[in-house]
Amino acid sequence: MGSQMNFSLIILLLVISISQSGNALDTNYYDQTCPNAEFIIDKVVREAANKDPKVPARLLRMFFHDCFIRGCDASVLLDSNTTNQAEKDGPPNISLAAFGVIDNAKAKLEASCPGTVSCADILAIVARDVVVLSGGPDWNVYKGRKDGRTSRANETVNLPGPFFNTSQLIQSFSQRGLTEKDLVTLSGGHTLGFSHCSSFSGRLRNFSPENDSDPTLDPRFASNLKSKCPINNKDRNAGQFLDSTSAVFDNDYFVRVVKGEGVFISDQSLISDKRTGPIVEAFARNQTLFFKEFVHSMVKLGSVGVNENGEVRRSCRVVN
């Protein structure tokens, strides 16, 4: 009961901080102007996920990548043109997918309530919906974001990468107003995810003069990864799921990291750092705690760099 009250207090304080920031985010933002907005988005997401089970992981990743560059302004959705290379064509974002799901949701919203629901809000709602659809926690999404007009591929170098150590991750997250706990919590989004060999194969062979494989990897797990990513691998789709229940949103990611089965350097480094290790261990033991903290951190992430001077795009791929 006490932990429930503490969690409620945290959310209340977060709501107050969001409302005082001038960003005017509100869970009821579209109640009068587009009351069926969340129903429309949810239906599109469910239909897409039924056709392609990779959709939830792809959409959750897309939301993270959007918010970490220029804030949550849907700049990741803009297409490149003859005068500008957009974020989605930056090296870390080449593998982003499922943009068509956002396009479909936007088209249906424009038919129902034209010029009303921003692409940035669609992304935030979709991120919640895919977590719920995969068995994770539910929460009220704060809405009222506007869409940005700028998207530059060269800014994607600022995304935290799979080769980052914990200190680099902490610095990256802190620049967005996110704490060490937020870092660990949001890393739990890897419970829905898959990585190609290129993002972790450097850990498997010739890692250092002393060790062929990264010594923080469980030896049996390292051997398994080597079999999936052989030398001179020509299968571009080869890789590894980031936990053993990749279609289910749960705490298995943290269980695997504790066991030395974190796929990325950025994953495994979290357990060995005294600032983050105890949080990883707590989430590995207690899924309910992870779910509560994930809701808190997702609400917080969704308020990063909210655009007050943008627009509501008619198409998420181009500015008006």
Side-chain angles (χ1 to χ4, degrees), residues 36-37 76-77 81 109-110 120 133 139 160 170 184 190 236 253 266 294 305 310:
N36 293 323
V76 76
L77 301 178
N81 54 43
L109 287 166
E110 286 298 301
L133 185 60
W139 65 93
I170 289 173
V184 177
H190 284 171
R236 297 181 63 183
Y253 162 83
S266 59
F294 191 80

Side-chain angles (χ1 to χ4, degrees), residues 2-271:
S3 61
Q4 217 169 17
M5 290 179 63
N6 289 337
F7 179 67
S8 299
L9 179 60
I10 289 171
I11 292 296
L12 176 61
L13 293 173
L14 184 62
V15 171
I16 292 172
S17 69
I18 290 173
S19 64
Q20 290 177 342
S21 69
N23 294 328
L25 296 186
D26 186 350
T27 58
N28 303 312
Y29 191 83
Y30 296 114
D31 282 4
Q32 302 302 317
T33 57
C34 193
N36 293 323
E38 295 197 40
F39 173 79
I40 292 169
I41 294 169
D42 180 68
K43 188 172 186 291
V44 169
V45 170
R46 287 179 182 274
E47 290 175 351
N50 284 337
K51 294 177 181 177
D52 182 358
K54 297 177 183 176
V55 161
R58 288 171 168 173
L59 292 174
L60 184 58
R61 181 171 179 242
M62 190 186 296
F63 177 65
F64 288 153
H65 282 229
D66 181 52
C67 291
F68 264 76
I69 304 296
R70 294 186 168 268
C72 306
D73 68 345
S75 54
V76 76
L77 301 178
L78 288 170
D79 283 341
S80 297
N81 54 43
T82 54
T83 61
N84 178 66
Q85 189 176 37
E87 286 174 34
K88 63 170 61 171
D89 291 320
N93 285 344
I94 293 295
S95 59
L96 289 180
F99 290 103
V101 180
I102 305 299
D103 293 336
N104 191 13
K106 179 61 174 173
K108 292 185 183 305
L109 287 166
E110 286 298 301
S112 179
C113 35
T116 303
V117 183
S118 69
C119 300
D121 278 345
I122 294 173
L123 262 182
I125 294 166
V126 160
R128 185 272 315 276
D129 287 352
V130 297
V131 169
V132 175
L133 185 60
S134 304
D138 195 359
W139 65 93
N140 291 322
V141 176
Y142 288 83
K143 300 168 285 287
R145 300 165 187 80
K146 293 296 185 287
D147 299 325
R149 300 183 179 91
T150 302
S151 181
R152 299 191 179 103
N154 60 6
E155 293 181 353
T156 61
V157 298
N158 296 316
L159 284 165
F163 310 107
F164 276 25
N165 60 37
T166 299
S167 292
Q168 291 170 311
L169 291 170
I170 289 173
Q171 181 180 19
S172 178
F173 274 64
S174 67
Q175 290 170 349
R176 280 89 178 169
L178 300 169
T179 65
E180 294 163 7
K181 182 181 281 188
D182 294 321
L183 158 62
V184 177
T185 306
L186 293 172
S187 294
H190 284 171
T191 185
L192 303 178
F194 176 87
S195 172
H196 294 106
C197 293
S198 58
S199 293
F200 61 85
S201 57
R203 305 181 68 196
L204 306 181
R205 300 176 182 89
N206 303 314
F207 183 75
S208 71
E210 297 79 23
N211 299 283
D212 185 38
S213 299
D214 184 344
T216 64
L217 270 176
D218 175 82
R220 286 178 297 180
F221 187 62
S223 177
N224 182 38
L225 293 180
K226 284 181 180 179
S227 69
K228 294 183 177 181
C229 303
I231 297 173
N232 301 322
N233 174 43
K234 295 182 181 179
D235 182 1
R236 297 181 63 183
N237 294 317
Q240 171 67 28
F241 289 104
L242 302 183
D243 80 3
S244 63
T245 56
S246 58
V248 180
F249 193 97
D250 57 19
N251 70 332
D252 187 63
Y253 162 83
F254 297 105
V255 174
R256 299 294 160 184
V257 170
V258 169
K259 291 181 176 181
E261 297 179 4
V263 176
F264 299 143
I265 287 175
S266 59
D267 293 328
Q268 199 57 54
S269 71
L270 295 174
I271 190 63

